[in-house]
Amino acid sequence: MSFLEITNLSIRFGGLVAVDDFNLSLEKGELVAIIGPNGAGKTTIFNMLTGIYKPTTGSIVLDGENMVGLKPYQFARKGITRTFQNIRLFSNATVADNVKIAHTMHNNQNLAKCMIRTPGMRKSEVELDRRVIELLDKLGLADKADFLAKNLPYGDQRRLEIARALMTEPKILLLDEPVAGMITTELEDMARLVPQIRRDFDVSIILIEHHMNFVMPIADRIKVLDFGKTISEGTPEYVQKDPKVIEAYLGGGYTQNGTA
Ligand SMILES: Nc1ncnc2c1ncn2[C@@H]1O[C@H](COP(=O)(O)OP(=O)(O)OP(=O)(O)O)[C@@H](O)[C@H]1O
Ligand SMILES: [Mg+2]
């Protein structure tokens, strides 16, 4: 059995089957991309993989443990963390504080202890600051640690979201359209950063993206969704040439760049 085993995953909203029989076996350290036109069901898969939605049918097994029915914080504790399609940062907090808050929220059982500032606590605070800076450094944000999140350029905000997710030390990182709305140079930075994160943090990555050109060089495998169904899967080379994929993208008015 693979590290993450998703079997026959489906979810229905009223009459709409938003995700229909989705299957994925993810190995440790693998980078799999999910692509597909708007409304294909990509984000809904992430919502099921983080406990926000409970699938109508199917199973999610992480490291041999059934995850269906667990709460979002339990998914996070077990090591699945995501970023959001629409950036969610504390915009009036500093870059460093955004990362720290992620740590505190993830370890909220210690909140009561945080109120009493023992010497041990102060030591762990120093340690936490060190980790935050180290993380920001790896993501190229260390020199902006004291900026307010809202004052960061858009590309940096996306990287800060990833830094926050990494602060919870995930085993599987879910990235929902990390380059949406980016300009070309930012996109190139992200294309370097994602494989580097996978190496440096020893995580498996599932990446949702419209931009074919971004996904193709970095993904081991690609799954293509359309109207909830998996219409193609395989290596980037295979998927790119699959007539069904070309049809789905061209039919949806997409170019190779994923722009409508
Ligand atoms: N809570 C919900 N209630 C009803 N319908 C929903 C709900 N969440 C998602 N859907 C529907 O499920 C379908 C898949 O949506 P989803 O957000 O997963 O698409 P997506 O592939 O992420 O699209 P995009 O590329 O635009 O982000 C859409 O038709 C959407 O309207
Ligand atoms: Mg989406």
Side-chain angles (χ1 to χ4, degrees):
M1 188 181 263
S2 300
F3 183 51
L4 177 70
E5 199 75 52
I6 303 170
T7 315
N8 305 129
L9 202 67
S10 300
I11 189 163
R12 177 185 286 276
F13 298 112
L16 174 81
V17 183
V19 175
D20 190 0
D21 197 20
F22 182 79
N23 293 277
L24 174 66
S25 301
L26 186 75
E27 303 298 341
K28 275 198 173 151
E30 244 192 326
L31 200 167
V32 173
I34 301 175
I35 66 170
N38 287 114
K42 304 179 300 292
T43 298
T44 303
I45 291 175
F46 276 12
N47 285 333
M48 291 190 280
L49 286 180
T50 49
I52 293 173
Y53 295 157
K54 192 175 172 202
T56 311
T57 56
S59 67
I60 300 167
V61 177
L62 176 67
D63 220 359
E65 191 176 343
N66 177 29
M67 305 288 285
V68 171
L70 297 188
K71 302 243 173 340
Y73 79 90
Q74 293 171 308
F75 274 80
R77 291 264 165 81
K78 304 268 181 203
I80 304 183
T81 307
R82 75 185 295 182
T83 62
F84 290 90
Q85 190 165 348
N86 304 311
I87 296 176
R88 297 188 185 183
L89 294 168
F90 294 103
S91 54
N92 285 315
T94 64
V95 167
D97 281 346
N98 264 277
V99 178
K100 266 199 220 182
I101 295 163
H103 174 86
T104 309
M105 283 166 66
H106 187 64
N107 297 281
N108 62 4
Q109 78 274 23
N110 291 331
L111 263 187
K113 279 192 210 156
C114 294
M115 303 295 174
I116 312 156
R117 295 168 57 84
T118 61
M121 184 62 216
R122 277 192 291 275
K123 187 165 162 249
S124 66
E125 225 175 79
V126 171
E127 166 64 17
L128 179 60
D129 284 340
R130 194 193 57 75
R131 269 191 63 206
V132 168
I133 289 301
E134 196 181 335
L135 192 53
L136 290 177
D137 192 39
K138 280 193 172 146
L139 294 194
L141 290 169
D143 55 337
K144 294 176 178 155
D146 296 328
F147 284 33
L148 294 183
K150 66 179 178 192
N151 293 335
L152 289 181
Y154 187 75
D156 285 349
Q157 293 194 16
R158 285 255 173 227
R159 280 191 288 171
L160 178 54
E161 262 235 307
I162 297 176
R164 277 166 43 114
L166 287 170
M167 197 64 190
T168 68
E169 300 183 71
K171 296 175 188 151
I172 299 176
L173 180 63
L174 310 177
L175 301 175
D176 196 347
E177 300 203 26
V179 298
M182 281 190 175
I183 55 171
T184 309
T185 51
E186 291 173 333
L187 200 144
E188 286 164 0
D189 283 348
M190 192 61 86
R192 275 190 295 273
L193 184 65
V194 172
Q196 184 194 322
I197 287 171
R198 166 205 200 170
R199 273 196 311 275
D200 288 359
F201 295 88
D202 199 21
V203 285
S204 312
I205 296 178
I206 307 179
L207 172 71
I208 291 176
E209 200 40 76
H210 277 310
H211 283 256
M212 297 261 226
N213 293 349
F214 173 71
V215 169
M216 294 295 163
I218 65 175
D220 299 320
R221 286 186 289 139
I222 298 182
K223 312 252 320 172
V224 189
L225 253 64
D226 196 17
F227 294 111
K229 288 196 162 62
T230 304
I231 58 163
S232 181
E233 60 182 295
T235 61
E237 296 72 29
Y238 173 83
V239 160
Q240 202 166 19
K241 295 199 182 93
D242 187 340
K244 289 198 290 286
V245 178
I246 295 165
E247 166 71 25
Y249 268 75
L250 295 180
Y254 284 87
T255 67
Q256 277 288 81
N257 285 325
T259 43

Short mmCIF file of all heavy atoms in Angstrom, two decimals, residues 39 42-44 85 176-177 208, ligand 2:
data_model
loop_
_atom_site.label_atom_id
_atom_site.label_comp_id
_atom_site.label_asym_id
_atom_site.label_seq_id
_atom_site.Cartn_x
_atom_site.Cartn_y
_atom_site.Cartn_z
N GLY A 39 -14.01 24.30 -12.35
CA GLY A 39 -15.16 23.50 -11.92
C GLY A 39 -14.97 22.00 -12.07
O GLY A 39 -15.91 21.23 -11.87
N LYS A 42 -11.18 19.96 -8.67
CA LYS A 42 -9.82 19.90 -8.11
C LYS A 42 -9.78 20.34 -6.64
O LYS A 42 -9.30 19.61 -5.78
CB LYS A 42 -8.87 20.77 -8.96
CG LYS A 42 -8.85 20.40 -10.43
CD LYS A 42 -7.91 21.28 -11.24
CE LYS A 42 -8.22 22.76 -11.24
NZ LYS A 42 -9.47 23.16 -11.94
N THR A 43 -10.31 21.54 -6.39
CA THR A 43 -10.29 22.05 -5.01
C THR A 43 -11.15 21.17 -4.10
O THR A 43 -10.83 20.98 -2.91
CB THR A 43 -10.78 23.52 -4.98
OG1 THR A 43 -9.86 24.30 -5.75
CG2 THR A 43 -10.82 24.07 -3.56
N THR A 44 -12.21 20.63 -4.65
CA THR A 44 -13.09 19.75 -3.85
C THR A 44 -12.30 18.53 -3.36
O THR A 44 -12.51 18.06 -2.24
CB THR A 44 -14.31 19.34 -4.68
OG1 THR A 44 -14.99 20.53 -5.11
CG2 THR A 44 -15.27 18.49 -3.87
N GLN A 85 -6.45 28.42 -2.73
CA GLN A 85 -6.50 29.06 -4.05
C GLN A 85 -6.55 30.59 -3.90
O GLN A 85 -5.84 31.30 -4.60
CB GLN A 85 -7.76 28.54 -4.75
CG GLN A 85 -7.87 28.89 -6.20
CD GLN A 85 -8.95 28.04 -6.87
OE1 GLN A 85 -9.45 27.06 -6.30
NE2 GLN A 85 -9.29 28.40 -8.08
N ASP A 176 -2.82 24.56 -3.80
CA ASP A 176 -3.95 24.85 -4.70
C ASP A 176 -3.64 26.08 -5.54
O ASP A 176 -3.72 27.20 -5.06
CB ASP A 176 -5.23 25.05 -3.88
CG ASP A 176 -6.49 24.95 -4.74
OD1 ASP A 176 -6.37 24.99 -5.98
OD2 ASP A 176 -7.59 24.85 -4.17
N GLU A 177 -3.27 25.85 -6.78
CA GLU A 177 -2.94 26.91 -7.74
C GLU A 177 -1.94 27.92 -7.20
O GLU A 177 -2.23 29.12 -7.09
CB GLU A 177 -4.23 27.61 -8.21
CG GLU A 177 -5.19 26.65 -8.88
CD GLU A 177 -6.18 27.34 -9.81
OE1 GLU A 177 -5.85 28.42 -10.34
OE2 GLU A 177 -7.25 26.76 -10.03
N ILE A 208 -2.32 21.45 -7.51
CA ILE A 208 -3.40 21.78 -8.45
C ILE A 208 -2.94 22.96 -9.27
O ILE A 208 -2.43 23.93 -8.72
CB ILE A 208 -4.68 22.19 -7.70
CG1 ILE A 208 -5.30 21.00 -6.98
CG2 ILE A 208 -5.69 22.82 -8.66
CD1 ILE A 208 -6.52 21.35 -6.14
MG MG B 2 -10.21 25.29 -7.45
#
